[in-house]
Amino acid sequence: MLVLWSLAFVMAASRALVRKQIAARGVDFKLLFGFMFSLGLSLAFNGWMGGAFTAMNDFTTSSMLFVLVALNVTDLGRLKKTCAAVVLSMLIAAGFGIQAFHTGQYATQLVLRQTAPSHEDDDPSRAPPSSAAEIPAQDNSGWYLWRVRGQGFLSDPNDFSQVLVMCLPLLWAVWRTGKYLQNLLFVLAPGVVMGYAIFLSQSRGAMLGAASLLFFLVRDWLGTTRTTVLMALGGAGFIAASAIGGRAISSKEQSAAERIEAWSVGLELLKWKPVFGVGYGNFTDHNPLTAHNSFVLCFAELGLVGYFLWIGMIVLAYKSLSTVIECLPKRNPHRLMVELLRNSLVGFLVCAWFLSRTYQPVLYFLLALCISAWYCAMQSPGMADQDSTAHRRMHNIKWVKSTFLMMAFTIFAVKAFVVSHNLGGGG
């Protein structure tokens, strides 16, 4: 991997220098590498200077993936091909996972078996033998919870389904009005396969993330009010489906209660060490479980300094995309990709609210795609005039104040969840 990375970087950097094309701005790189440096500072200020270099080295995969995308994806064609490659890869992975669930073939690798919540406190010796459920779809014992997953860094069902949620909006890049067969084969059918794989993953965060996409995908068709109602109905349906599948969405359920308790610990750690946090990777030193929330994990381990840089990357990417949408006409092809990637980012972040994925590569890959979409839009016809209002708006994006507001909002939201949980007696 190091050899491949070195070759890819040298070739991409050479191309960028010759053509003078780099998608990311200086502020994007400053936030990224400032965040990387904050990982080291968080450990250095907690008395482990040697661990600072290890922490920054751990993050190199994510940061360098961002850099590679910024160097390579510099026009609309490359952006579409990159998104298509990701979608196709995840569609194939979803198909294999569904096949493993229904046939048992490669089920050991592609389907995670867990004890169902209703049997977590039962005597394990009463569990049916493993051979009794060689095909997950045919297991009627109710003892096990079967969750479709991927391989490698997607071997966790939550990670797997989160990336599927990210890919769902990107399918609409090939939607064409009046092309019924094309839309059925390349948009609707793959969407059904991915949606079913998300359902089989039994990831409650991913189900909520998929439900959140409804607002952006159909708002222009139905209007804001009708779409809000539809989103609420869809969310209720997913919640009901999760309850039938054995994983109800309720803070009374043990797993959900443990997550909210972890969020409470995260708030206490922020109060204790608000500037640089308790240190990268140290959350589990203060709680048996990880935070199960990317936002909580960030401010607890890295403090407000690291949290500002992390939220800043997200806010800048989101506001960049939103500004493009405001400045470009609806039929502009660049605007379509920008809208779809903004939807992907929202869906991904909804899932991240329930997962500890602060440092994982997929987020930074997605942020780099968002920045590349902004850059490609800047090269579109009509945007080259530096004196135009649209050009100035797309270059002068006010993100600092919004970052502080988002920091306050997310911390307040975590606090509200914890208070609500405690007032309800853990329910």
Side-chain angles (χ1 to χ4, degrees):
M1 291 302 298
L2 180 60
V3 172
L4 289 175
W5 151 247
S6 301
L7 289 173
F9 177 76
V10 170
M11 294 172 66
S14 300
R15 174 184 177 275
L17 290 173
V18 171
R19 300 192 180 189
K20 297 181 179 180
Q21 292 180 329
I22 300 177
R25 299 152 292 194
V27 65
D28 296 307
F29 287 121
K30 288 177 182 177
L31 286 171
L32 176 69
F33 291 108
F35 178 72
M36 182 176 178
F37 190 59
S38 74
L39 270 65
L41 285 179
S42 69
L43 291 177
F45 277 89
N46 279 278
W48 188 22
M49 185 63 69
F53 299 100
T54 301
M56 291 187 286
N57 183 65
D58 287 346
F59 189 68
T60 53
T61 300
S62 299
S63 61
M64 293 302 102
L65 188 57
F66 182 101
V67 172
L68 278 181
V69 173
L71 293 176
N72 282 290
V73 185
T74 54
D75 60 59
L76 186 60
R78 288 185 171 222
L79 179 64
K80 288 183 175 181
K81 290 176 183 177
T82 304
C83 293
V86 175
V87 170
L88 180 60
S89 299
M90 292 308 300
L91 180 61
I92 294 172
F96 273 111
I98 293 170
Q99 176 262 348
F101 180 82
H102 285 283
T103 68
Q105 187 177 17
Y106 300 111
T108 303
Q109 293 86 2
L110 299 176
V111 184
L112 178 65
R113 189 188 73 181
Q114 297 177 328
T115 303
S118 57
H119 292 284
E120 286 179 346
D121 297 327
D122 293 349
D123 183 0
S125 63
R126 295 175 52 199
S130 300
S131 59
E134 294 181 352
I135 301 178
Q138 297 180 5
D139 177 25
N140 298 318
S141 67
W143 193 280
Y144 298 120
L145 185 67
W146 301 93
R147 307 181 64 193
V148 167
R149 59 179 177 172
Q151 286 287 281
F153 67 93
L154 298 181
S155 59
D156 186 300
N158 296 314
D159 291 331
F160 177 64
S161 56
Q162 185 181 31
V163 180
L164 286 174
V165 169
M166 181 189 83
C167 289
L168 282 176
L170 300 178
L171 289 170
W172 293 84
V174 296
W175 178 273
R176 296 294 181 270
T177 303
K179 302 289 185 179
Y180 302 107
L181 182 59
Q182 175 180 322
N183 295 336
L184 175 63
L185 293 177
F186 296 106
V187 180
L188 299 179
V192 169
V193 172
M194 289 186 175
Y196 185 48
I198 291 172
F199 172 74
L200 292 181
S201 73
Q202 297 285 344
S203 174
R204 293 163 294 189
M207 291 180 182
L208 292 174
S212 71
L213 295 176
L214 290 175
F215 184 83
F216 292 97
L217 292 177
V218 300
R219 180 179 57 179
D220 292 339
W221 299 344
L222 302 179
T224 302
T225 302
R226 292 180 180 178
T227 304
T228 302
V229 173
L230 180 61
M231 183 175 66
L233 292 175
F238 274 126
I239 292 172
S242 70
I244 295 173
R247 302 198 83 206
I249 299 179
S250 169
S251 63
K252 290 183 179 180
E253 191 262 325
Q254 181 180 352
S255 176
E258 290 175 344
R259 293 186 182 204
I260 295 180
E261 290 170 4
W263 299 358
S264 179
V265 171
L267 291 171
E268 293 301 319
L269 294 178
L270 178 62
K271 292 180 183 178
W272 179 35
K273 295 196 174 182
V275 181
F276 292 106
V278 297
Y280 167 76
N282 288 345
F283 188 91
T284 50
D285 291 345
H286 305 274
N287 193 65
L289 301 176
T290 188
H292 285 292
N293 184 310
S294 299
F295 298 83
V296 173
L297 185 67
C298 186
F299 66 62
E301 290 192 346
L302 307 182
L304 294 177
V305 172
Y307 197 48
F308 171 81
L309 297 168
W310 189 72
I311 292 291
M313 285 188 282
I314 295 172
V315 167
L316 181 56
Y318 184 88
K319 293 202 71 172
S320 297
L321 298 179
S322 297
T323 305
V324 170
I325 294 172
E326 294 170 0
C327 292
L328 293 184
K330 287 188 176 182
R331 296 186 179 274
N332 189 298
H334 292 84
R335 173 171 169 163
L336 174 61
M337 288 304 301
V338 166
E339 289 178 336
L340 297 179
L341 280 166
R342 189 178 71 168
N343 297 343
S344 293
L345 181 60
V346 170
F348 188 91
L349 292 175
V350 170
C351 299
W353 187 260
F354 304 96
L355 300 171
S356 296
R357 301 297 180 265
T358 307
Y359 317 108
Q360 296 303 313
V362 178
L363 172 60
Y364 302 92
F365 177 76
L366 177 57
L367 289 175
L369 287 179
C370 292
I371 297 302
S372 293
W374 169 86
Y375 177 83
C376 294
M378 288 296 301
Q379 314 308 312
S380 64
M383 290 295 111
D385 184 5
Q386 298 184 4
D387 295 326
S388 67
T389 302
H391 183 91
R392 290 197 298 269
R393 284 190 63 192
M394 290 174 64
H395 263 286
N396 301 317
I397 297 173
K398 308 299 182 182
W399 60 274
V400 176
K401 181 179 178 181
S402 298
T403 297
F404 282 117
L405 291 174
M406 184 57 64
M407 291 172 64
F409 173 77
T410 50
I411 294 173
F412 175 80
V414 172
K415 182 66 175 179
F417 268 95
V418 172
V419 171
S420 175
H421 175 74
N422 293 335
L423 290 177

